[in-house]
C-alpha cells in the first residue's frame, strides 16, 4: 500500500478485467461500457466483460465512421464513439415533475424523485474524464446547480482507460486533455487501466486513484506468470504506448491562444464560408461530451388531468434556442455557428474557467457534412492571427 492508502499498480489479464465487471456488479453498480452494436462502438449496460468490443477498432474521418475488425483482439483500441458519458450523467430527457387533477379538481404535484443509479463507467477516455469535470463545473457549480446531476455523478465509479490507438479526428494533445492521465487522488478517477499487448501477452496495467478503487483492485486476480521484472516491463510498455499515441494524433488545434483567437475573429469572412456548409442540424452539440444546454417541455394527456414537465437537451443551432421577445436573436447559420465555436473555445473560459472543448473529435465525425472544428480554427487563425499578434500574444494561456 502507498502512503495515501491506495494500493500500488498491478498487472491484470483478461480474467482480471472479467473479475472487475463481476466485482462492480456484485457491489450493486450498474456497469456501463463500450460494446460493438449496430455498426458502432456504443455505450451500454454490461453484464460481463465478454460484451466489451474485443477485436474491434474504428475508422474515423470528417463525416465518416466505420467499425473495422482487429486481428489483435484488443478491447479498447478504438477512440470515442457517438455517445459520451453525458448520456447517463446528464440524460437526453428527464422528467422533472408530474401533476394529477383529482375528481374534485384538486391538483397534486409530484417531484420526479427516482433514486439515481449507482453507476460504474468502464472505459472512460482521458479526454472524456476532462469532459465530465467540465460538466461537473457547469452543472454542480455556481448558483444554478442541478441536484439530479449531482446525485448521478456523486456515486459514479470511474474506470479510465488510457488511449493507445487515437483516431484520425482526435486532437486531445493540443487541448492538453490526453491521451494519458496523471497519477494521484485528485485526478478524478477510481481506477486507471492501460491495455498492453506484446510478446509477454495481453494484459492491463492497473492502478487505483481512490480508496474505493484500491478496494476493488485488491479483489482482482493478478496476471499469472509475471515476475516483478515483467510487471515493471508492463508499466514501461504501457507508458511507451501512451507516449507513442500522443505522437499519432490525427489532428491538432493551432498552437495559439484559442480564447484570444475567438475574441479577435468575430468579423472574420470564414463564418460565411462555414455557414454555407452548415445545416444547423445540431448533431455536433448532441455528440459533444461538454455541451449541456436543455429546454423544458410541458405535456398533458388528452383528458387534461395529467401533466408532466420534461427537461430535454437543446442546441444553440436550433432557431428557437435564442428566441426572445420578437423572434430569435441568432437568425442566420453564420451567427449560430459562430456562437457555438466562440463559446466552446473562447467565452467558455470566462464563464467556467476552462475551454469547453476536450479534443475528442466527435463533432467532426458526426457532422453530416464533415465540418471540422480544427480546420475552422486553423482558417480563422490564418485569416485573423496576423492582426492579433503582439509581443506578448501568441502563447496558449
Ligand atoms: S467541440 Fe467537438 S472535439 Fe471538442 S469536445 Fe465537443 S465534440 Fe469533442
Ligand atoms: S457543424 Fe455540422 S453537425 Fe454542427 S450544426 Fe452544422 S452541419 Fe450540423
Amino acid at each position: 500500500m502507498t502512503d495515501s492508502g491506495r494500493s500500488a499498480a498491478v498487472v491484470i489479464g483478461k480474467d482480471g478485467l472479467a473479475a472487475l465487471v463481476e466485482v462492480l456488479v456484485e457491489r450493486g453498480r450498474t456497469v456501463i461500457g463500450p460494446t460493438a452494436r449496430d455498426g458502432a462502438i456504443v455505450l451500454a449496460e454490461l453484464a460481463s466483460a465478454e460484451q466489451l468490443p474485443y477485436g474491434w477498432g474504428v475508422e474515423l474521418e470528417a463525416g465518416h465512421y466505420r467499425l473495422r475488425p482487429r486481428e489483435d483482439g484488443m478491447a479498447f483500441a478504438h477512440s470515442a464513439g457517438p455517445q459520451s458519458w453525458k448520456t447517463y450523467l446528464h440524460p437526453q430527457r428527464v422528467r422533472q415533475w408530474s401533476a394529477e387533477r383529482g375528481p374534485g379538481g384538486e391538483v397534486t404535484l409530484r417531484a420526479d424523485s427516482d433514486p439515481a443509479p449507482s453507476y460504474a463507467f468502464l472505459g472512460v477516455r482521458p479526454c472524456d474524464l476532462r469532459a465530465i469535470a467540465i460538466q461537473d463545473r457547469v452543472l454542480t457549480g455556481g448558483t444554478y446547480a442541478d441536484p439530479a446531476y449531482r446525485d448521478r455523478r456523486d456515486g459514479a465509479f470511474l474506470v479510465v482507460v488510457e488511449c493507445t490507438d487515437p483516431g484520425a479526428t482526435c486532437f486531445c494533445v493540443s487541448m492538453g486533455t490526453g491521451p494519458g492521465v496523471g497519477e494521484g487522488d485528485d485526478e478524478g478517477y477510481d481506477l486507471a487501466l492501460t491495455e498492453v499487448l506484446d510478446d509477454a501477452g495481453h494484459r492491463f496495467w492497473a492502478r487505483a486513484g481512490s480508496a474505493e478503487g484500491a478496494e476493488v483492485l485488491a479483489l482482482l486476480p493478478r496476471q499469472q506468470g509475471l515476475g516483478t521484472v515483467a510487471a515493471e516491463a508492463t508499466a514501461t510498455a504501457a507508458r511507451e504506448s501512451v507516449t507513442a499515441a500522443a505522437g499519432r494524433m490525427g489532428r491538432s488545434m493551432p498552437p495559439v491562444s484559442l480564447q484570444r483567437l475567438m475574441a479577435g475573429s468575430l468579423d472574420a469572412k470564414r463564418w460565411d464560408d462555414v455557414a454555407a456548409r452548415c445545416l444547423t442540424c445540431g448533431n455536433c452539440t448532441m455528440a459533444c461530451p461538454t455541451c449541456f444546454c436543455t429546454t423544458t417541455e410541458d405535456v398533458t394527456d388528452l383528458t387534461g388531468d395529467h401533466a408532466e414537465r420534461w427537461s430535454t437537451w437543446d442546441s444553440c443551432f436550433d432557431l428557437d434556442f435564442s428566441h426572445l421577445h420578437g423572434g430569435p436573436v441568432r437568425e442566420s447559420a453564420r451567427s449560430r455557428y459562430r456562437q457555438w465555436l466562440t463559446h466552446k473555445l473562447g467565452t467558455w473560459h470566462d464563464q467556467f474557467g476552462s475551454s469547453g472543448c476536450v479534443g475528442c473529435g466527435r463533432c467532426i465525425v458526426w457532422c453530416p457534412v464533415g465540418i471540422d472544428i480544427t480546420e475552422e480554427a486553423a482558417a480563422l487563425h490564418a485569416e485573423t492571427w496576423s492582426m492579433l499578434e503582439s509581443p506578448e500574444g501568441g502563447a496558449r494561456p
Side-chain angles (χ1 to χ4, degrees), residues 40-104:
I41 292 184
V42 299
L43 298 177
E45 183 171 350
L46 304 180
S48 88
E50 283 175 21
Q51 293 167 274
L52 289 167
Y54 282 110
W56 287 105
V58 291
E59 179 185 295
L60 305 177
E61 252 315 326
H64 175 93
Y65 181 101
R66 292 285 181 278
L67 274 185
R68 62 177 175 84
R70 298 180 63 101
E71 289 182 359
D72 58 16
M74 290 183 83
F76 296 104
H78 53 84
S79 40
Q83 301 149 298
S84 69
W85 303 99
K86 79 175 181 182
T87 305
Y88 296 92
L89 292 174
H90 182 47
Q92 189 262 338
R93 206 158 178 263
V94 175
R95 189 173 57 207
Q96 296 182 312
W97 52 256
S98 58
E100 210 72 53
R101 182 162 49 203

Side-chain angles (χ1 to χ4, degrees), residues 13 25 36 53 58 99 102 104 108 119 140 150 164 189 238 253 275 296-297 317 332:
V25 170
V58 291
T108 310
Y119 284 127
T140 66
R150 198 195 310 266
T164 54
Y189 60 79
M253 277 291 189
T296 49
E297 260 177 20
F317 283 97
S332 65

Side-chain angles (χ1 to χ4, degrees), residues 229-255:
V229 174
E232 282 168 14
T234 300
T236 303
R239 288 196 191 98
E240 286 175 356
S241 290
V242 173
T243 303
R248 293 201 309 273
M249 287 289 123
R251 281 162 164 76
S252 64
M253 277 291 189

Side-chain angles (χ1 to χ4, degrees), residues 20-49:
L20 173 60
V21 175
E22 285 168 17
V23 166
L24 292 169
V25 170
E26 278 164 14
R27 292 167 83 100
R29 299 278 184 180
T30 301
V31 180
I32 308 292
T35 192
R37 181 189 296 168
D38 301 330
I41 292 184
V42 299
L43 298 177
E45 183 171 350
L46 304 180
S48 88

